[in-house]
Each structure stands twice: as C-alpha cells, then as structure tokens.
Amino acid sequence: MKNTLLAISLLCISLFSFSACNSGSSAKSPYRDANVEQFKNLMEKNPDAVVLDVRTPQEFAEGNIPGAMLVDVNGPDFNAKVDAMDKNKKYLIYCRSGSRSVTACNAMADKGFKDLTNLLGGYQAWAQSQN
C-alpha cells in the first residue's frame, strides 16, 4: 500500500512539474501564416508591403505573384540581399508550396525583421485560386 501511494505521489509530482514547465514554453512564432485570401487582403491593404518570392529564378520565370521581388532562399546571395532590406517594412513571403518561405521567414526573423507573413500553400495555392 505504501509503495502504491508513493508511486501515485511521484506520478502526480512528475505530471505537475511537466505541465508547469511546459505551460509557458510554447514560443510565439516569429512570423504569421496566411491563406491565399488573407495574403491578397494584406497586399491590398498594405501597398508598401514587399511581396517576396523565395523560389529559384526558373520557378519565378514560370509564374509569380505580380509585383513580387525574387530572392532565392537557397541562393548564395540570400543573406546579402536580405541584409540590404529595410527591417521595418512588412514582408509577404511565398515559395512553391510553403516550406522554403518558412525557412526564409525564420532566417529574416533571426536578422531582426518583425513583420513577416508566410503564404500557406505557396504559389501553388495562389495559382489554384486564380482558376
């Protein structure tokens, strides 16, 4: 009986410690996600926002969001190009499907950019919404 009570007590203490330690540990993302409709609304409401395409030049040439600026997240000059950008502007970022744009958002956040939005589903979702 003592062993059972001791085991239950230890389990309760462990669970309490785990939940207390983890209750505030969910870090806020350094960027927002937006679906196509939200992304379009942000573009319309923020004409000074920079629409950033982080795909390859070939992908960009095959189709892009009008007004987008190309900065290949995997290109050798990505960091230099980002370092030259205004950290105080709003950036609307996309890639093909949404993965590389997350990488770009995180890299830019690490450099001090504060207003970053990632297009969920990337250019694929954008192009599909145009049909």
Side-chain angles (χ1 to χ4, degrees), residues 5 12 16 18 41 44 51 55 72 75 98 111:
L5 290 175
C12 289
F16 176 78
F18 177 78
N41 286 338
E44 290 171 11
V51 179
R55 301 175 299 159
D72 183 352
K111 292 177 175 288

Side-chain angles (χ1 to χ4, degrees), residues 42-54:
L42 286 169
M43 288 175 62
E44 290 171 11
K45 291 179 182 176
N46 302 281
D48 294 335
V50 177
V51 179
L52 201 59
D53 185 321
V54 296

Side-chain angles (χ1 to χ4, degrees), residues 55-73:
R55 301 175 299 159
T56 65
Q58 181 180 347
E59 289 172 303
F60 186 83
E62 292 170 0
N64 57 73
I65 294 175
M69 179 175 131
L70 175 64
V71 180
D72 183 352
V73 71

Side-chain angles (χ1 to χ4, degrees), residues 51-60 68-82 85 93-96 100-101 103-105 107-108:
V51 179
L52 201 59
D53 185 321
V54 296
R55 301 175 299 159
T56 65
Q58 181 180 347
E59 289 172 303
F60 186 83
M69 179 175 131
L70 175 64
V71 180
D72 183 352
V73 71
N74 293 321
D77 57 351
F78 176 77
N79 284 319
K81 286 183 176 180
V82 168
M85 294 179 187
I93 304 168
Y94 73 96
C95 63
R96 182 179 57 84
R100 286 175 284 177
S101 53
T103 300
C105 285
M108 292 174 73

